[in-house]
Amino acid sequence: MKKILFSILAGLIYPLGFAPFNLWPFIFISIIILVYLLEDSNKLQSFRIGFSYGIGLWLLGVSWVYVSIYYYGNIGIILSLTFTFI
């Protein structure tokens, strides 16, 4: 369970390396954490770790979709969140 939580955290810090944050060292830190977590894991554990890493990456990385729909598409907040989650 600890590995799953750490992999979600590693996925969450990955997008911080891109605009508008531009904290590029977080990209390397995130990947290093992921590789460390995958070390000595069987296939099922590796799948779970990778899947949870992807979920964490998606949670923060998808924010640009919401911004583009809400601010530039001039659509309400509820509909923007709905489109983003779809």
Side-chain angles (χ1 to χ4, degrees), residues 10-31:
L12 283 171
I13 65 172
Y14 185 89
L16 296 176
F18 301 105
F21 306 108
N22 296 323
L23 301 170
W24 59 268
F26 281 119
I27 295 172
F28 299 110
I29 294 169
S30 174
I31 294 172

Side-chain angles (χ1 to χ4, degrees), residues 3-48:
K3 285 188 173 186
I4 301 297
L5 294 176
F6 279 121
S7 64
I8 291 171
L9 178 65
L12 283 171
I13 65 172
Y14 185 89
L16 296 176
F18 301 105
F21 306 108
N22 296 323
L23 301 170
W24 59 268
F26 281 119
I27 295 172
F28 299 110
I29 294 169
S30 174
I31 294 172
I32 289 168
I33 292 171
L34 177 64
V35 170
Y36 176 76
L37 292 173
L38 289 173
E39 189 176 341
D40 297 330
S41 296
N42 62 28
K43 289 180 184 180
L44 183 60
Q45 289 173 333
S46 297
F47 173 78
R48 289 180 180 162

